[in-house]
Amino acid sequence: MNIKPEDFDPPLKRKEPAVPGYWTVEELATELGVSTRYVHYLIKGDPKKGVRIRLKAYNAGNSLLVSDLDAFKYLWEVRQSKKKS
């Protein structure tokens, strides 16, 4: 399934990516309405808190970047689960 930004209703908050083709931790945190620390948990996991790895990220210097494909898929899953509850 290929998810595009146009598929989201309501539209995504991010208008222009900081890094084309990728989402930064800060952009994902803003979109999800969570802290950057929580997004780091989604990327790296935290067995103490029961958070398993949910996102694949790439190191770019001091930053972590999530590909558009992975970010859209995760955002879609989150929005679908919120609709059900």
Side-chain angles (χ1 to χ4, degrees), residues 14 19-25 27-28 39 42-43 54-60 63-74:
R14 179 180 88 157
V19 179
Y22 294 92
W23 285 69
T24 64
V25 169
E27 289 171 332
L28 278 169
V39 176
L42 293 173
I43 293 169
R54 297 289 311 253
L55 289 168
K56 180 180 177 184
Y58 303 94
N59 282 322
S63 300
L64 290 170
L65 301 174
V66 178
S67 73
D68 276 348
L69 181 64
D70 291 335
F72 292 148
K73 181 180 174 193
Y74 182 73

Side-chain angles (χ1 to χ4, degrees), residues 18-42:
V19 179
Y22 294 92
W23 285 69
T24 64
V25 169
E26 293 79 12
E27 289 171 332
L28 278 169
T30 300
E31 189 66 46
L32 293 167
V34 298
S35 68
T36 56
R37 183 182 192 111
Y38 182 75
V39 176
H40 280 275
Y41 286 143
L42 293 173

